[in-house]
Amino acid sequence: MNKQANKKGIAALLLVAALILVLLISGIPSAHKANKKNCVPTSGIVQELKNGPPGIMIHLKDDPKIYYISRKSNTSITLNTLEQQLRGKKIALYTSQDWSPLDPFSSMKQIHRLQIADTVIYAEF
């Protein structure tokens, strides 16, 4: 009976390890380059801008999501410059359509393109 119980324990551990591995792999950001085809446009009025761990964060009025410009891809834009250009204005954002188990409700979205009307402020594509 000990051998049978031992086999069940090992099988359960392997199943849990496989599940954790799948979740970790699915949480890795996509290697695809962002472009207009795989991005979703969002528009709104800028309510607040601030620096945070992922980069420059933008909060839109009546939108619970947090949009951010990654520090890794942004080298020239500063928070002060963006505040002067964007505060209180209607903007268009393009974010990727990815899902991660680390953020299952997609509450934080990385900005790949930011523009006011036809003027592009920031773009990766």
Side-chain angles (χ1 to χ4, degrees), residues 15-116:
L15 182 64
V16 169
L19 181 62
I20 290 172
L21 183 63
V22 167
L23 286 174
L24 287 174
I25 290 172
S26 66
I28 296 173
S30 174
H32 298 293
K33 204 83 163 121
N35 59 37
K36 252 188 174 174
K37 290 179 185 175
N38 64 7
C39 285
V40 177
T42 304
S43 62
I45 297 173
V46 176
Q47 183 174 4
E48 182 181 15
L49 291 106
K50 60 184 176 182
N51 275 320
I56 298 174
M57 298 186 295
I58 299 174
H59 296 272
L60 300 178
K61 188 175 183 181
D62 300 325
D63 189 346
K65 292 183 180 173
I66 299 169
Y67 301 96
Y68 69 94
I69 297 174
S70 175
R71 284 194 181 112
K72 295 175 188 173
S73 57
N74 169 29
T75 56
S76 61
I77 296 176
T78 64
L79 179 64
N80 291 335
T81 305
L82 281 180
E83 276 192 327
Q84 292 171 359
Q85 291 177 322
L86 304 180
R87 186 170 293 278
K89 295 185 180 170
K90 185 172 182 168
I91 61 170
L93 305 171
Y94 291 85
T95 59
S96 60
Q97 302 178 24
D98 52 357
W99 181 84
S100 168
L102 302 174
D103 185 16
F105 303 110
S106 298
S107 59
M108 288 189 76
K109 302 298 274 181
Q110 182 177 350
I111 299 169
H112 296 288
R113 185 180 180 99
L114 166 65
Q115 62 187 59
I116 299 175

